[in-house]
Amino acid sequence: MAAWLLGVQTLRIQPYQLPPLGPHDVKVSIKALGICGSDVHHFKTMRCANFIVKKPMVIGHECAGIIEAIGSEVKNLAPGDRVALEPGISCSRCNLCKNGRYNLCREMRFFGSPPTNGSLANKVVHPASLCYKLPENVSLEEGAMCEPLSVGVHACRRAQVGPETTVLILGAGPIGLITLLAARAFGAPRVVMTDVDESRLAIAKSLGADELIQVSTEMKDASEEVVNVQTAMGSGIDVTFDCVGYNKTMTTALNATRSGGKVCLIGLALSEMTIPLTPAAAREVDVIGIFRYRNTWPLCLDFLKTGKIDVKPLITHRFKFTQEDVDAAFETSARGGNAIKCMFNL
């Protein structure tokens, strides 16, 4: 059984015919799955950016479970193993894949991204190479959280965050908060965060943000807010992570970051923006994009195992795999507010 997206705000638990178990595959009984912002976009509008749902699709991709069966060539996993699943299957043949940038593969098949069925299901079949054994002290819920954590880890790698990097994070939603945890794990000594929502900023404070700035949605306030975040940092801002992706947030990011610094765009709210790129370029502010992640699960699991990162406070709501709870979970996640991560326990 799986949760099928049939139309706008229409999810139904219905039978799901699994693909056959190949020699290099494993069958996994899914035990924990989180709802991502992209899942909510699909649920509300049947699309996320340029990914459009054109036929019924199983939703979900942040997942962990227990190995139920293994293919004939699988040597590194066994039935009963608890695993976190990396949800994207690249082609492994194109130049991007061969050069290690498989997250950019044009033939990527990604759980719950049209037209590929997702993993909010009792069971899935997945390549063994994309299933990572959980350390004994890491729970299945934490294993599922490796997927959003991977976004923050990949962003920090791309921006080269380290022990001498001051960090500004715009947006204290789930990915902004994850990026805060990742930046700290990479050694960032000072992190300032902004958001329009006071309650989200309170959560950021509890997770270790040094300074918090409540901002508006009005472009006219951007100049004053740039001064505010620079003052709050107390020194130059080395890296800014825009975890929203609007004209205003990118304008703030480009103007607030020090000359020679970096702006990393994580949030993809708009496909087109009008931003002050030329002045930033004249100050040699590098603009970096990220798309999903690559080669992050081992490091994420090490961060969780050693306690460098604690994702448990981000799991604010839990639901069962019933029709009633599936509806309630997506409604709760879509409302936002105090819902950071809604987690299914199957």
Side-chain angles (χ1 to χ4, degrees):
M1 304 297 286
W4 290 84
L5 181 62
L6 304 179
V8 173
Q9 298 187 24
T10 305
L11 283 165
R12 292 286 181 271
I13 295 179
Q14 296 181 165
Y16 177 34
Q17 183 68 45
L18 286 179
L21 183 70
H24 299 282
D25 296 333
V26 292
K27 183 186 290 185
V28 182
S29 178
I30 298 296
K31 296 298 181 185
L33 184 139
I35 297 178
C36 172
S38 63
D39 296 324
V40 173
H41 278 296
H42 286 132
F43 172 69
K44 291 170 69 174
T45 66
M46 298 291 283
R47 69 180 298 158
C48 183
N50 294 324
F51 297 94
I52 303 169
V53 182
K54 298 179 179 178
K55 63 179 183 177
M57 178 186 79
V58 178
I59 205 163
H61 59 269
E62 302 178 359
C63 58
I66 299 173
I67 300 289
E68 188 174 286
I70 63 173
S72 59
E73 298 298 317
V74 175
K75 310 299 181 187
N76 62 322
L77 293 170
D81 285 346
R82 300 177 316 127
V83 291
L85 284 67
E86 182 173 352
I89 306 172
S90 62
C91 77
S92 76
R93 300 181 304 274
C94 68
N95 285 336
L96 287 165
C97 286
K98 289 179 178 179
N99 290 327
R101 305 189 75 172
Y102 65 86
N103 57 310
L104 304 178
C105 175
R106 292 187 177 183
E107 295 182 37
M108 176 72 77
R109 290 177 291 135
F110 192 92
F111 274 155
S113 182
T116 307
N117 284 322
S119 53
L120 183 45
N122 299 125
K123 307 175 195 301
V124 299
V125 170
H126 205 52
S129 61
L130 296 173
C131 297
Y132 298 85
K133 195 170 178 179
L134 298 181
E136 287 186 8
N137 65 335
V138 174
S139 70
L140 286 157
E141 285 190 342
E142 291 172 284
M145 289 294 289
C146 281
E147 198 280 340
L149 179 56
S150 286
V151 175
V153 166
H154 182 49
C156 286
R157 280 176 171 171
R158 288 270 289 151
Q160 298 178 313
V161 172
E164 297 180 348
T165 310
T166 57
V167 171
L168 169 64
I169 299 175
L170 307 180
I175 292 299
L177 297 172
I178 281 279
T179 303
L180 163 64
L181 297 179
R184 284 296 198 211
F186 275 78
R190 188 163 178 79
V191 180
V192 174
M193 293 193 71
T194 73
D195 201 276
V196 298
D197 189 311
E198 193 173 355
S199 63
R200 287 291 173 97
L201 290 174
I203 296 169
K205 183 68 173 177
S206 71
L207 293 174
D210 293 295
E211 294 287 343
L212 310 166
I213 306 290
Q214 188 169 6
V215 294
S216 80
T217 58
E218 299 295 326
M219 182 65 83
K220 63 181 175 61
D221 298 324
S223 296
E224 180 182 350
E225 290 166 3
V226 165
V227 174
N228 291 342
V229 295
Q230 290 174 329
T231 302
M233 187 63 76
S235 62
I237 296 168
D238 297 319
V239 172
T240 298
F241 292 106
D242 182 353
C243 298
V244 185
Y246 283 118
N247 288 323
K248 180 172 182 278
T249 52
M250 272 302 282
T251 296
T252 300
L254 291 167
N255 289 334
T257 305
R258 67 164 175 83
S259 297
K262 298 183 179 74
V263 171
C264 182
L265 178 58
I266 300 176
L268 302 175
L270 300 179
S271 59
E272 293 184 4
M273 294 189 203
T274 303
I275 54 174
L277 193 57
T278 304
R283 294 190 297 110
E284 295 192 1
V285 175
D286 294 339
V287 178
I288 302 165
I290 73 156
F291 184 62
R292 294 173 180 158
Y293 35 69
R294 56 178 176 267
N295 302 313
T296 50
W297 260 252
L299 181 56
C300 289
L301 289 172
D302 185 66
F303 280 153
L304 296 174
K305 175 184 176 181
T306 58
K308 284 186 177 180
I309 289 180
D310 181 7
V311 293
K312 294 188 291 292
L314 297 177
I315 305 171
T316 53
H317 295 72
R318 290 176 172 83
F319 297 88
K320 299 173 184 176
F321 188 51
T322 65
Q323 184 63 55
E324 182 180 3
D325 269 25
V326 165
D327 292 337
F330 274 84
E331 288 168 8
T332 301
S333 193
R335 278 198 305 270
N338 65 343
I340 302 299
K341 182 59 62 178
C342 293
M343 181 71 66
F344 287 103
N345 295 124
L346 285 79

